[in-house]
Amino acid sequence: MSLKNNLFSSKPKQIAQAAIQILLKVYGDLKSVNFLVISDMKLPIDIAQNFENAGLNKYLIFQDSLEKIFNQNNNNIDENLINKLKNFDLIMIGYKTQSKIIDKILVKKILNKRKQKPILFVDCGIPGNIKTDIGQIPNCFLFDLNDLEQLYSSWIQNNIINED
């Protein structure tokens, strides 16, 4: 499927186009896809802006600090956050801290509430905010920025996506 959009620019454009192609393969179309960005960094926000006119059902950016995400009392992710995350099909996370805020326990809780509907995570943190073993969970897909750039380059070479 060819996808052209003049609003995209440089690496964020490529990453967004690769993520859109994956979403199309997993969900069939973008009309029912809900997208969430959780970050305190500029790059994930720049990437997310490339999704604004992609035809997604819901698009939300959450730019709060990690302290607002974690429960202050026991350092566990709040149940309220799990109930919010379950509504999103693509979750892009990128924090300056090296904390691994997404792990198998959290993802399994989210998938259980989603009734096993697939979910995609994009880890924008350096070195990463998501534990890589979540990619072993059925119906959970994990990509980092390098994965998406490589997919984009491969698809360009195979004429699956056309560059503008």
Side-chain angles (χ1 to χ4, degrees), residues 1-5 17 21 24 159-164:
M1 172 175 257
S2 176
L3 195 63
K4 288 187 176 183
N5 190 334
Q17 284 186 336
Q21 290 297 316
L24 288 169
N159 295 316
I160 295 171
I161 298 176
N162 294 326
E163 280 188 303
D164 292 332

Side-chain angles (χ1 to χ4, degrees), residues 5-23:
N5 190 334
N6 293 329
L7 297 173
F8 289 2
S9 65
S10 70
K11 296 273 184 202
K13 167 191 170 183
Q14 296 169 357
I15 292 165
Q17 284 186 336
I20 287 169
Q21 290 297 316
I22 293 166
L23 288 170

Side-chain angles (χ1 to χ4, degrees), residues 50-63:
N50 288 291
F51 286 87
E52 285 181 351
N53 297 316
L56 299 171
N57 181 50
K58 186 175 181 182
Y59 166 90
L60 183 65
I61 296 176
F62 184 67
Q63 288 183 273

Side-chain angles (χ1 to χ4, degrees), residues 89-102:
D89 306 300
L90 172 61
I91 300 173
M92 184 177 295
I93 298 177
Y95 278 91
K96 296 171 189 166
T97 180
Q98 295 182 12
S99 297
K100 301 289 187 189
I101 59 175
I102 303 293

Side-chain angles (χ1 to χ4, degrees), residues 153-161:
S153 295
S154 172
W155 290 337
I156 288 293
Q157 290 175 349
N158 294 310
N159 295 316
I160 295 171
I161 298 176

